[in-house]
Amino acid sequence: MSEDRSLFGDGRYPEAGPLAVLARLSLLGAGLAIVVAKFLPPELVPDFVRSPNLQHFAAFYVLALCALAAMPRARLRTVAVGVAGFATVLEALHLLSGAPLGPLTDNWVADLGGVSAAFAPLIVERFRRRFPRG
């Protein structure tokens, strides 16, 4: 039998396949977009939603999804800690630049909420797989 190389099959997908490369590029792009948005003056950053906390949540949700797609063999915990560490370092750097602590804490919690929301379905699915069907 031939190996299933379709996009949604169970077979292996090539390391250098177009979607694998796109996943890595999207991780790089999302990470760079967050860094640029973090250090630009607030008036230059477009508001995608009304709440800054929701923007942080959405940005790190997307970043976590991109990281999961870009690193399919990495352990979930490793990817989650990496993305959460990235959020922590960014907020700490912003704090060192003189930003007030209160809003940065809110931003950091929203960042971690986005990361958690991206990982929650995967963790629940792993739990569900432990209960075989009849």
Side-chain angles (χ1 to χ4, degrees):
M1 272 193 187
S2 66
E3 189 175 322
D4 180 11
R5 291 183 159 281
S6 66
L7 178 58
F8 298 107
D10 289 332
R12 290 182 50 82
Y13 190 79
E15 292 281 333
L19 292 176
V21 172
L22 184 61
R24 292 181 195 112
L25 289 173
S26 69
L27 175 62
L28 181 63
L32 286 174
I34 289 173
V35 169
V36 168
K38 186 68 178 172
F39 293 104
L40 276 178
E43 60 273 3
L44 294 179
V45 179
D47 288 332
F48 295 105
V49 294
R50 294 178 189 247
S51 166
N53 292 334
L54 188 54
Q55 282 188 185
H56 279 259
F57 181 94
F60 278 88
Y61 179 81
V62 169
L63 182 69
L65 291 178
C66 290
L68 285 166
M71 298 178 273
R73 288 192 185 93
R75 296 175 58 106
L76 289 181
R77 184 178 302 136
T78 303
V79 179
V81 168
V83 177
F86 178 68
T88 302
V89 167
L90 274 182
E91 298 301 344
L93 287 174
H94 209 238
L95 181 63
L96 293 175
S97 71
L101 180 61
L104 286 182
T105 304
D106 292 345
N107 293 344
W108 181 68
V109 169
D111 297 345
L112 296 184
V115 174
S116 299
F119 280 84
L122 297 173
I123 293 167
V124 169
E125 176 56 26
R126 284 187 172 193
F127 174 73
R128 288 175 51 87
R129 273 192 267 146
R130 299 189 71 174
F131 298 92
R133 292 187 181 177

